[in-house]
Amino acid sequence: MIWDVGTRSPRRLLGDVAAGARVPARLAAGLTRFAIGLGLLLLAALVAAPAIPTTRAYTVLETGMLIAALIVEQLLGDELRGAVRKRRA
């Protein structure tokens, strides 16, 4: 998903994108995951907007939520992806 970008080094990210772009099925899967992640990010912003009184507070809180999501991804992401792979196998 979109947060995968935040947990990879730029060099690894570019290598993964280049490798995936050569295989149409992987490219389609990657674009789908990106679109879903982006959609969830926008949905979170829309859901949070009514509860936040000012644009400045909205920016600060949205940034905090993104940082928290990236921290959770960094701490749990590999284990969760590994568990999903095991279930599929």
Side-chain angles (χ1 to χ4, degrees):
M1 303 219 173
I2 195 166
W3 58 80
D4 289 348
V5 173
T7 57
R8 295 181 184 181
S9 69
R11 185 177 186 183
R12 181 175 171 204
L13 175 64
L14 290 175
D16 290 346
V17 169
R22 292 186 205 113
V23 180
R26 280 193 185 164
L27 180 61
L31 290 174
T32 301
R33 288 180 67 186
F34 180 82
I36 290 170
L38 185 61
L40 290 173
L41 183 65
L42 293 174
L43 182 62
L46 289 173
V47 168
I52 303 172
T54 65
T55 303
R56 181 182 171 117
Y58 181 79
T59 303
V60 170
L61 289 174
E62 282 293 312
T63 302
M65 287 190 287
L66 282 172
I67 291 169
L70 288 171
I71 290 170
V72 169
E73 163 63 21
Q74 185 68 37
L75 295 173
L76 301 175
D78 288 335
E79 288 93 8
L80 292 175
R81 282 188 291 278
V84 169
R85 285 185 201 113
K86 286 180 184 177
R87 284 185 128 192
R88 289 182 184 169

Coordinates of all heavy atoms in Angstrom, one line a residue:
M1 N 0.8 -1.2 0.0 CA 0.0 0.0 0.0 C 0.9 1.2 0.0 O 2.1 1.2 0.0 CB -0.9 0.0 1.2 CG -1.8 -1.3 1.3 SD -3.4 -0.8 1.8 CE -4.1 -2.4 1.6
I2 N 0.2 2.4 0.1 CA 1.0 3.6 0.0 C 2.0 3.7 1.1 O 3.1 4.3 0.8 CB 0.0 4.8 0.0 CG1 0.8 6.0 -0.6 CG2 -0.6 5.1 1.3 CD1 -0.1 7.2 -0.9
W3 N 1.8 3.2 2.3 CA 2.8 3.4 3.3 C 4.0 2.5 3.1 O 5.0 2.7 3.7 CB 2.2 3.1 4.7 CG 1.6 1.8 4.9 CD1 2.2 0.6 5.1 CD2 0.2 1.4 4.8 NE1 1.4 -0.4 5.2 CE2 0.1 0.1 5.0 CE3 -0.9 2.2 4.6 CZ2 -1.1 -0.6 5.1 CZ3 -2.2 1.5 4.6 CH2 -2.2 0.2 4.9
D4 N 4.0 1.6 2.2 CA 5.2 0.8 1.9 C 6.3 1.7 1.4 O 7.5 1.5 1.6 CB 4.9 -0.2 0.8 CG 4.1 -1.4 1.3 OD1 3.9 -1.5 2.5 OD2 3.6 -2.1 0.4
V5 N 6.0 2.8 0.8 CA 6.9 3.8 0.3 C 7.7 4.4 1.4 O 8.9 4.5 1.3 CB 6.2 4.9 -0.6 CG1 7.2 6.0 -0.9 CG2 5.6 4.3 -1.8
G6 N 7.1 4.6 2.5 CA 7.8 5.3 3.7 C 8.7 4.4 4.4 O 9.5 4.8 5.2
T7 N 8.6 3.1 4.2 CA 9.5 2.2 5.0 C 10.6 1.5 4.1 O 11.3 0.6 4.6 CB 8.6 1.0 5.6 OG1 7.9 0.4 4.6 CG2 7.6 1.6 6.6
R8 N 10.8 2.0 2.9 CA 11.8 1.4 2.1 C 12.8 2.5 1.8 O 12.5 3.7 1.7 CB 11.3 1.0 0.7 CG 10.4 -0.2 0.9 CD 9.9 -0.6 -0.5 NE 8.9 -1.7 -0.3 CZ 8.3 -2.3 -1.3 NH1 8.6 -2.0 -2.5 NH2 7.5 -3.3 -1.0
S9 N 14.1 2.1 1.6 CA 15.1 3.1 1.2 C 14.8 3.6 -0.2 O 14.2 2.8 -1.0 CB 16.5 2.6 1.3 OG 16.6 1.6 0.3
P10 N 15.1 4.8 -0.6 CA 14.8 5.3 -1.9 C 15.5 4.3 -3.0 O 14.8 4.1 -4.0 CB 15.5 6.7 -2.0 CG 15.5 7.1 -0.6 CD 15.7 5.9 0.2
R11 N 16.7 3.8 -2.8 CA 17.3 3.0 -3.7 C 16.5 1.7 -3.9 O 16.3 1.2 -5.0 CB 18.7 2.7 -3.3 CG 19.5 1.8 -4.2 CD 20.9 1.7 -3.7 NE 21.7 1.0 -4.7 CZ 22.9 0.7 -4.6 NH1 23.6 0.9 -3.4 NH2 23.6 0.1 -5.5
R12 N 16.1 1.1 -2.8 CA 15.3 -0.2 -2.9 C 13.9 0.1 -3.5 O 13.4 -0.7 -4.3 CB 15.1 -0.7 -1.4 CG 14.3 -2.0 -1.5 CD 14.2 -2.6 -0.1 NE 13.2 -3.7 -0.1 CZ 12.6 -4.2 0.9 NH1 12.8 -3.7 2.1 NH2 11.7 -5.2 0.8
L13 N 13.3 1.2 -3.2 CA 12.0 1.6 -3.8 C 12.2 1.7 -5.3 O 11.3 1.1 -6.1 CB 11.5 2.9 -3.2 CG 10.2 3.5 -3.9 CD1 9.1 2.5 -3.6 CD2 9.9 4.8 -3.3
L14 N 13.2 2.4 -5.8 CA 13.3 2.5 -7.3 C 13.6 1.2 -7.9 O 13.1 0.9 -9.0 CB 14.5 3.5 -7.6 CG 14.2 5.0 -7.2 CD1 15.4 5.8 -7.5 CD2 13.0 5.5 -8.1
G15 N 14.4 0.4 -7.3 CA 14.7 -1.0 -7.8 C 13.4 -1.8 -7.9 O 13.2 -2.5 -8.9
D16 N 12.6 -1.8 -6.8 CA 11.3 -2.5 -6.8 C 10.4 -2.0 -7.9 O 9.7 -2.8 -8.5 CB 10.7 -2.4 -5.4 CG 11.4 -3.2 -4.3 OD1 12.3 -4.0 -4.7 OD2 11.1 -3.0 -3.1
V17 N 10.3 -0.7 -8.0 CA 9.4 -0.2 -9.0 C 9.9 -0.6 -10.4 O 9.1 -1.0 -11.3 CB 9.3 1.4 -8.9 CG1 8.6 2.0 -10.1 CG2 8.6 1.7 -7.6
A18 N 11.2 -0.5 -10.7 CA 11.7 -0.8 -12.0 C 11.5 -2.3 -12.3 O 11.1 -2.7 -13.4 CB 13.2 -0.5 -12.1
A19 N 11.7 -3.2 -11.3 CA 11.5 -4.6 -11.5 C 10.0 -4.9 -11.7 O 9.7 -5.7 -12.6 CB 12.0 -5.4 -10.3
G20 N 9.1 -4.3 -10.9 CA 7.7 -4.5 -11.1 C 7.1 -4.0 -12.4 O 6.2 -4.5 -12.9
A21 N 7.7 -2.9 -12.9 CA 7.2 -2.3 -14.1 C 7.4 -3.2 -15.3 O 6.8 -3.1 -16.4 CB 7.8 -0.9 -14.4
R22 N 8.4 -4.1 -15.2 CA 8.7 -5.0 -16.4 C 7.7 -6.1 -16.5 O 7.6 -6.8 -17.5 CB 10.1 -5.6 -16.2 CG 11.2 -4.6 -16.4 CD 12.5 -5.2 -16.3 NE 13.5 -4.2 -15.9 CZ 14.2 -4.3 -14.8 NH1 14.0 -5.3 -13.9 NH2 15.0 -3.3 -14.5
V23 N 6.9 -6.4 -15.4 CA 5.9 -7.5 -15.4 C 4.5 -6.8 -15.3 O 4.2 -6.3 -14.3 CB 6.2 -8.4 -14.2 CG1 5.1 -9.5 -14.2 CG2 7.6 -9.0 -14.2
P24 N 3.7 -6.9 -16.4 CA 2.4 -6.2 -16.4 C 1.5 -6.6 -15.2 O 0.9 -5.7 -14.6 CB 1.8 -6.7 -17.7 CG 3.0 -7.0 -18.6 CD 4.0 -7.6 -17.6
A25 N 1.5 -7.8 -14.8 CA 0.6 -8.2 -13.6 C 1.1 -7.5 -12.3 O 0.3 -7.0 -11.5 CB 0.6 -9.7 -13.5
R26 N 2.4 -7.5 -12.1 CA 2.9 -6.8 -10.9 C 2.7 -5.3 -11.0 O 2.4 -4.7 -10.0 CB 4.4 -7.0 -10.8 CG 4.8 -8.4 -10.2 CD 6.2 -8.4 -9.8 NE 6.6 -9.7 -9.4 CZ 7.8 -10.1 -9.3 NH1 8.8 -9.4 -9.6 NH2 8.1 -11.3 -8.8
L27 N 2.8 -4.7 -12.2 CA 2.6 -3.3 -12.3 C 1.1 -3.0 -12.0 O 0.8 -2.0 -11.3 CB 2.9 -2.8 -13.7 CG 2.7 -1.3 -14.0 CD1 3.6 -0.5 -13.1 CD2 3.0 -1.1 -15.5
A28 N 0.2 -3.8 -12.5 CA -1.2 -3.6 -12.2 C -1.5 -3.7 -10.7 O -2.2 -2.9 -10.1 CB -2.0 -4.5 -13.0
A29 N -0.9 -4.8 -10.1 CA -1.1 -5.0 -8.7 C -0.5 -3.8 -7.9 O -1.2 -3.4 -6.9 CB -0.5 -6.3 -8.3
G30 N 0.6 -3.3 -8.2 CA 1.2 -2.2 -7.5 C 0.4 -0.9 -7.7 O 0.2 -0.2 -6.7
L31 N -0.1 -0.7 -8.9 CA -0.9 0.5 -9.1 C -2.2 0.4 -8.3 O -2.7 1.4 -7.8 CB -1.2 0.7 -10.6 CG 0.1 1.2 -11.4 CD1 -0.3 1.2 -12.9 CD2 0.6 2.5 -10.9
T32 N -2.8 -0.8 -8.2 CA -4.0 -1.0 -7.5 C -3.8 -0.8 -6.0 O -4.6 -0.1 -5.3 CB -4.5 -2.5 -7.7 OG1 -4.8 -2.6 -9.1 CG2 -5.8 -2.7 -6.9
R33 N -2.7 -1.3 -5.5 CA -2.4 -1.1 -4.0 C -2.1 0.4 -3.8 O -2.6 0.9 -2.7 CB -1.1 -1.9 -3.7 CG -1.3 -3.4 -3.6 CD -0.1 -4.1 -3.2 NE 0.3 -3.8 -1.9 CZ 1.4 -4.2 -1.3 NH1 2.3 -4.9 -2.0 NH2 1.7 -3.8 -0.1
F34 N -1.5 1.0 -4.7 CA -1.2 2.5 -4.5 C -2.6 3.2 -4.5 O -2.8 4.1 -3.6 CB -0.3 3.0 -5.6 CG 0.0 4.5 -5.5 CD1 0.9 4.9 -4.6 CD2 -0.8 5.4 -6.2 CE1 1.2 6.3 -4.4 CE2 -0.5 6.8 -6.1 CZ 0.5 7.2 -5.2
A35 N -3.4 2.9 -5.4 CA -4.7 3.6 -5.5 C -5.6 3.3 -4.3 O -6.2 4.2 -3.7 CB -5.5 3.1 -6.8
I36 N -5.5 2.1 -3.8 CA -6.3 1.8 -2.5 C -5.7 2.6 -1.3 O -6.5 3.1 -0.6 CB -6.3 0.3 -2.3 CG1 -7.1 -0.4 -3.3 CG2 -6.8 0.0 -0.9 CD1 -7.0 -2.0 -3.3
G37 N -4.4 2.6 -1.2 CA -3.8 3.3 -0.1 C -4.1 4.8 -0.2 O -4.4 5.5 0.8
L38 N -4.0 5.4 -1.4 CA -4.3 6.8 -1.6 C -5.8 7.1 -1.3 O -6.1 8.1 -0.6 CB -4.0 7.2 -3.0 CG -4.1 8.7 -3.3 CD1 -3.2 9.5 -2.5 CD2 -3.9 8.9 -4.8
G39 N -6.7 6.2 -1.7 CA -8.1 6.3 -1.4 C -8.3 6.3 0.1 O -9.1 7.1 0.7
L40 N -7.7 5.4 0.8 CA -7.8 5.3 2.3 C -7.3 6.6 2.9 O -7.9 7.0 3.9 CB -7.1 4.1 2.8 CG -7.8 2.7 2.5 CD1 -6.9 1.6 2.9 CD2 -9.2 2.6 3.1
L41 N -6.2 7.1 2.4 CA -5.6 8.3 3.0 C -6.6 9.5 2.8 O -6.9 10.3 3.7 CB -4.3 8.6 2.3 CG -3.5 9.8 2.7 CD1 -3.1 9.6 4.2 CD2 -2.4 10.1 1.8
L42 N -7.2 9.6 1.6 CA -8.2 10.6 1.4 C -9.5 10.4 2.2 O -10.0 11.4 2.8 CB -8.6 10.7 -0.1 CG -7.4 11.1 -1.0 CD1 -7.9 11.0 -2.5 CD2 -7.0 12.5 -0.7
L43 N -9.9 9.2 2.4 CA -11.0 8.9 3.2 C -10.8 9.3 4.7 O -11.6 9.9 5.3 CB -11.4 7.4 3.2 CG -12.6 7.0 4.0 CD1 -13.9 7.7 3.5 CD2 -12.8 5.5 3.9
A44 N -9.6 9.0 5.2 CA -9.2 9.5 6.5 C -9.3 11.0 6.7 O -9.7 11.5 7.7 CB -7.8 8.9 6.9
A45 N -8.8 11.7 5.7 CA -8.8 13.1 5.7 C -10.3 13.7 5.7 O -10.6 14.6 6.5 CB -8.1 13.7 4.5
L46 N -11.1 13.0 4.9 CA -12.5 13.5 4.9 C -13.3 13.2 6.2 O -14.1 14.0 6.6 CB -13.3 12.8 3.7 CG -12.9 13.3 2.3 CD1 -13.5 12.4 1.3 CD2 -13.3 14.7 2.1
V47 N -13.0 12.0 6.8 CA -13.6 11.7 8.0 C -13.1 12.6 9.2 O -13.9 13.0 10.0 CB -13.3 10.2 8.4 CG1 -13.7 9.8 9.8 CG2 -14.0 9.3 7.4
A48 N -11.9 12.9 9.2 CA -11.3 13.8 10.2 C -11.7 15.2 10.1 O -11.8 16.0 11.1 CB -9.8 13.6 10.3
A49 N -12.0 15.7 8.9 CA -12.2 17.1 8.7 C -13.3 17.8 9.5 O -13.1 18.8 10.1 CB -12.5 17.4 7.2
P50 N -14.5 17.1 9.7 CA -15.5 17.8 10.5 C -15.2 18.0 11.9 O -15.7 18.9 12.6 CB -16.7 16.8 10.3 CG -16.5 16.0 9.1 CD -15.0 15.9 9.0
A51 N -14.3 17.2 12.5 CA -14.0 17.3 13.9 C -12.8 18.3 14.2 O -12.5 18.5 15.3 CB -13.5 15.9 14.4
I52 N -12.3 18.9 13.2 CA -11.1 19.7 13.3 C -11.5 21.2 13.0 O -12.0 21.4 11.9 CB -9.9 19.3 12.5 CG1 -9.6 17.8 12.9 CG2 -8.7 20.2 12.7 CD1 -8.5 17.2 12.0
P53 N -11.4 22.1 13.9 CA -12.0 23.4 13.8 C -11.3 24.4 12.8 O -11.9 25.2 12.1 CB -11.9 24.0 15.2 CG -10.8 23.3 15.9 CD -10.8 21.9 15.3
T54 N -9.9 24.3 12.7 CA -9.2 25.2 11.8 C -8.3 24.5 10.8 O -8.0 23.3 11.0 CB -8.3 26.2 12.6 OG1 -7.3 25.4 13.2 CG2 -9.1 26.9 13.7
T55 N -7.9 25.2 9.8 CA -7.1 24.6 8.8 C -5.7 24.3 9.3 O -5.1 23.2 9.1 CB -6.9 25.5 7.6 OG1 -8.2 25.8 7.0 CG2 -6.1 24.9 6.5
R56 N -5.2 25.1 10.2 CA -3.9 24.9 10.8 C -3.9 23.6 11.7 O -3.0 22.8 11.6 CB -3.5 26.1 11.7 CG -2.1 25.9 12.3 CD -1.8 27.2 13.2 NE -0.6 26.9 13.9 CZ 0.5 27.5 13.8 NH1 0.6 28.5 12.9 NH2 1.5 27.2 14.6
A57 N -5.0 23.5 12.5 CA -5.1 22.3 13.4 C -5.3 21.1 12.5 O -4.7 20.0 12.8 CB -6.3 22.5 14.3
Y58 N -6.0 21.2 11.4 CA -6.2 20.1 10.5 C -4.9 19.6 9.9 O -4.6 18.4 9.9 CB -7.1 20.5 9.4 CG -7.5 19.4 8.4 CD1 -8.4 18.5 8.7 CD2 -6.8 19.4 7.2 CE1 -8.7 17.5 7.8 CE2 -7.1 18.4 6.2 CZ -8.0 17.4 6.6 OH -8.3 16.4 5.7
T59 N -4.0 20.5 9.5 CA -2.7 20.2 9.0 C -1.9 19.5 10.0 O -1.2 18.5 9.7 CB -2.0 21.5 8.4 OG1 -2.9 22.1 7.5 CG2 -0.7 21.1 7.8
V60 N -1.8 20.0 11.2 CA -1.0 19.4 12.3 C -1.5 18.0 12.6 O -0.7 17.1 12.7 CB -1.0 20.3 13.5 CG1 -0.3 19.6 14.7 CG2 -0.3 21.7 13.2
L61 N -2.8 17.9 12.8 CA -3.4 16.6 13.1 C -3.2 15.5 12.0 O -2.9 14.4 12.3 CB -4.8 16.7 13.6 CG -5.0 17.4 14.9 CD1 -6.5 17.6 15.2 CD2 -4.4 16.6 16.0
E62 N -3.4 15.9 10.8 CA -3.3 15.0 9.7 C -1.8 14.6 9.5 O -1.5 13.4 9.3 CB -3.7 15.7 8.3 CG -5.2 15.7 8.2 CD -5.8 14.3 8.0 OE1 -5.3 13.5 7.2 OE2 -6.8 14.1 8.6
T63 N -0.9 15.5 9.7 CA 0.5 15.1 9.7 C 0.9 14.2 10.8 O 1.6 13.2 10.6 CB 1.4 16.4 9.8 OG1 1.1 17.3 8.8 CG2 2.9 16.1 9.8
G64 N 0.3 14.4 12.0 CA 0.5 13.5 13.1 C 0.0 12.1 12.9 O 0.6 11.1 13.2
M65 N -1.2 12.1 12.2 CA -1.8 10.7 11.9 C -1.0 10.0 10.9 O -0.8 8.8 11.0 CB -3.2 10.9 11.4 CG -4.2 11.3 12.5 SD -6.0 11.3 12.0 CE -6.1 12.7 11.0
L66 N -0.4 10.7 9.9 CA 0.4 10.1 8.9 C 1.7 9.5 9.5 O 2.1 8.4 9.2 CB 0.8 11.1 7.8 CG -0.3 11.3 6.7 CD1 0.1 12.4 5.8 CD2 -0.5 10.0 5.9
I67 N 2.3 10.3 10.4 CA 3.5 9.9 11.1 C 3.2 8.6 12.0 O 4.0 7.7 12.0 CB 4.1 11.0 11.9 CG1 4.7 12.1 11.0 CG2 5.2 10.5 12.9 CD1 5.1 13.4 11.7
A68 N 2.1 8.7 12.7 CA 1.7 7.5 13.5 C 1.5 6.3 12.6 O 1.9 5.2 13.0 CB 0.4 7.8 14.3
A69 N 0.9 6.4 11.5 CA 0.7 5.3 10.6 C 2.0 4.7 10.0 O 2.2 3.5 10.0 CB -0.2 5.7 9.4
L70 N 2.9 5.6 9.7 CA 4.2 5.2 9.3 C 5.0 4.4 10.4 O 5.7 3.5 10.1 CB 5.0 6.3 8.7 CG 4.6 6.9 7.4 CD1 5.3 8.1 7.0 CD2 4.7 5.8 6.3
I71 N 4.9 4.9 11.6 CA 5.5 4.3 12.7 C 5.0 2.9 12.9 O 5.7 1.9 13.1 CB 5.4 5.1 14.0 CG1 6.3 6.4 13.9 CG2 5.8 4.3 15.3 CD1 6.1 7.4 15.0
V72 N 3.6 2.8 12.9 CA 3.0 1.4 13.0 C 3.4 0.5 11.9 O 3.7 -0.7 12.1 CB 1.5 1.6 13.1 CG1 0.8 0.2 13.0 CG2 1.0 2.3 14.4
E73 N 3.5 1.0 10.7 CA 3.9 0.2 9.6 C 5.4 -0.2 9.8 O 5.7 -1.4 9.5 CB 3.8 1.0 8.3 CG 4.6 0.5 7.1 CD 4.2 -0.9 6.6 OE1 3.1 -1.3 6.9 OE2 5.1 -1.5 6.0
Q74 N 6.2 0.6 10.3 CA 7.6 0.3 10.5 C 7.7 -0.8 11.6 O 8.5 -1.7 11.4 CB 8.4 1.5 10.9 CG 9.9 1.3 11.1 CD 10.6 1.0 9.8 OE1 10.2 1.6 8.7 NE2 11.6 0.1 9.8
L75 N 6.9 -0.7 12.6 CA 7.0 -1.7 13.7 C 6.3 -3.0 13.4 O 6.8 -4.1 13.8 CB 6.4 -1.1 14.9 CG 7.1 0.1 15.5 CD1 6.3 0.7 16.7 CD2 8.5 -0.3 16.0
L76 N 5.2 -3.0 12.6 CA 4.4 -4.2 12.4 C 4.3 -4.7 11.0 O 3.8 -5.8 10.7 CB 3.0 -4.0 12.9 CG 2.9 -3.7 14.4 CD1 1.4 -3.3 14.7 CD2 3.4 -4.8 15.3
G77 N 4.7 -3.9 10.0 CA 4.4 -4.1 8.6 C 5.0 -5.5 8.1 O 4.2 -6.2 7.5
D78 N 6.2 -5.7 8.4 CA 6.8 -7.0 7.9 C 6.1 -8.2 8.5 O 5.9 -9.2 7.8 CB 8.3 -7.0 8.2 CG 9.1 -6.0 7.4 OD1 8.6 -5.7 6.3 OD2 10.2 -5.6 7.8
E79 N 5.8 -8.2 9.8 CA 5.1 -9.3 10.4 C 3.7 -9.5 9.8 O 3.3 -10.7 9.5 CB 5.0 -9.2 11.9 CG 6.3 -9.3 12.6 CD 7.0 -8.0 12.8 OE1 6.4 -6.9 12.6 OE2 8.2 -8.0 13.3
L80 N 3.0 -8.4 9.6 CA 1.7 -8.6 9.0 C 1.7 -9.1 7.6 O 0.9 -10.0 7.2 CB 1.0 -7.2 9.0 CG 0.6 -6.7 10.4 CD1 0.0 -5.3 10.3 CD2 -0.4 -7.6 11.1
R81 N 2.7 -8.6 6.8 CA 2.8 -9.1 5.4 C 3.2 -10.6 5.4 O 2.7 -11.3 4.6 CB 3.8 -8.2 4.6 CG 3.2 -6.9 4.1 CD 4.1 -6.2 3.2 NE 5.3 -5.7 3.9 CZ 5.3 -4.6 4.6 NH1 4.3 -3.8 4.7 NH2 6.4 -4.2 5.2
G82 N 4.1 -10.9 6.3 CA 4.5 -12.3 6.4 C 3.3 -13.2 6.8 O 3.2 -14.3 6.3
A83 N 2.5 -12.8 7.7 CA 1.3 -13.6 8.1 C 0.4 -13.8 7.0 O -0.2 -14.8 6.8 CB 0.6 -12.9 9.3
V84 N 0.2 -12.7 6.2 CA -0.7 -12.8 5.0 C -0.1 -13.8 4.0 O -0.9 -14.6 3.4 CB -0.9 -11.4 4.4 CG1 -1.6 -11.5 3.0 CG2 -1.7 -10.5 5.3
R85 N 1.2 -13.7 3.8 CA 1.8 -14.7 2.8 C 1.6 -16.1 3.3 O 1.4 -17.0 2.5 CB 3.3 -14.3 2.6 CG 3.5 -13.1 1.8 CD 5.0 -12.9 1.5 NE 5.2 -11.5 1.2 CZ 5.8 -10.6 1.9 NH1 6.4 -10.9 3.0 NH2 6.0 -9.4 1.5
K86 N 1.8 -16.4 4.6 CA 1.6 -17.7 5.1 C 0.2 -18.2 4.9 O 0.0 -19.4 4.6 CB 2.0 -17.8 6.6 CG 3.5 -17.7 6.8 CD 3.8 -17.7 8.3 CE 5.3 -17.5 8.5 NZ 5.7 -17.5 9.9
R87 N -0.8 -17.4 5.1 CA -2.2 -17.8 4.9 C -2.5 -18.1 3.5 O -3.2 -19.0 3.2 CB -3.1 -16.7 5.4 CG -3.2 -16.5 6.9 CD -4.2 -15.5 7.2 NE -5.2 -16.1 8.1 CZ -6.3 -15.6 8.4 NH1 -6.7 -14.4 7.9 NH2 -7.1 -16.2 9.3
R88 N -1.8 -17.4 2.6 CA -2.1 -17.7 1.1 C -1.4 -19.0 0.7 O -1.9 -19.6 -0.2 CB -1.6 -16.5 0.3 CG -2.4 -15.3 0.4 CD -1.8 -14.2 -0.5 NE -2.5 -12.9 -0.3 CZ -2.2 -11.8 -0.8 NH1 -1.1 -11.7 -1.5 NH2 -2.9 -10.7 -0.6
A89 N -0.3 -19.3 1.3 CA 0.4 -20.5 0.9 C -0.2 -21.8 1.4 O -1.1 -22.0 2.0 CB 1.8 -20.5 1.4

